[in-house]
Amino acid sequence: MEGKEEDVRLGANRYSERQPIGTAAQGGGADEKDYKEPPPAPLFEAEELTSWSFYRAGIAEFLATFLFLYISVLTVMGVVGNPSGSKCGTVGIQGIAWSFGGMIFVLVYCTAGISGGHINPAVTFGLFLARKLSLTRAVFYMVMQCLGAICGAGVVKGFQTTLYMGNGGGANSVAPGYTKGDGLGAEIVGTFVLVYTVFSATDAKRSARDSHVPILAPLPIGFAVFLVHLATIPITGTGINPARSLGAAIIYNKKQSWDDHWIFWVGPFTGAALAAIYHVVVIRAIPFKSRD
């Protein structure tokens, strides 16, 4: 019995070492000179499939993405469905941006200690490329995030079917006057900003040097989402989150929601990959550590 308890404890410790936000394993207040790079996560880890913490993390990602879509899409519907057209009648584009960024801030804060607070397949993909989590966990997170997004958008439609179907359903598409290349570029750069912020806010070496960094991590991440929305809502409605785009597209399910849908997968995944490469190779210089 004691051996099993020890295995569970060690397994939990191994998992915590890979949590991207706010864990003692990423520094614990040690001096920067004593900092040691955490080992990369294995590609496959069969032991995760028998651990309750694995499934608990997936449930947390599902619920967080569900709440994210529910609040954000409902806010969008309140703005685009305003019959008066008065600027004072809705929160406007700034309010939409605050809704998306504020929800990410809140949800990352709530779920960081359980799942890492990804709430976005692009973030999960970037962290996977940086070897912060296994492929098993990355795929599971992405599936749960997409399911949560579909359910969140579905609840909004259930509450306000006429408003939802008559105003685009919060689905992403390239706005008139912009090309598909413009939309793709906006999604790549926007997601790069987000994932780069995630890496910087949760950097293990900074956490080792400054104990307040993990605590404050949700704030810059949410603010990055807010700023990217301000910049790119007029271009694509701002995706930077494939689960968010997929959930709205499936529930709205009209031609216009699928015409440009590939952009909201290719763009965010490309931006996340570039951010991961930049962080690992340039900022952390991990491939060159052995030469020092």
Side-chain angles (χ1 to χ4, degrees), residues 47-100:
E47 293 180 3
E48 287 186 319
L49 300 177
T50 62
S51 170
W52 166 241
S53 65
F54 176 78
Y55 297 100
R56 181 184 66 169
I59 294 170
E61 288 293 311
F62 171 88
L63 181 60
T65 316
F66 168 84
L67 294 174
F68 175 59
L69 263 288
Y70 171 72
I71 295 297
S72 58
V73 173
L74 203 57
T75 303
V76 171
M77 292 300 98
V79 172
V80 300
N82 177 33
S84 67
S86 170
K87 292 183 179 179
C88 297
T90 70
V91 295
I93 289 180
Q94 293 87 350
I96 293 174
W98 275 120
S99 175
F100 279 88

Side-chain angles (χ1 to χ4, degrees), residues 136-154:
T136 312
R137 187 176 292 269
V139 171
F140 182 50
Y141 277 14
M142 291 181 190
V143 170
M144 297 301 282
Q145 289 158 358
C146 289
L147 290 176
I150 293 168
C151 293

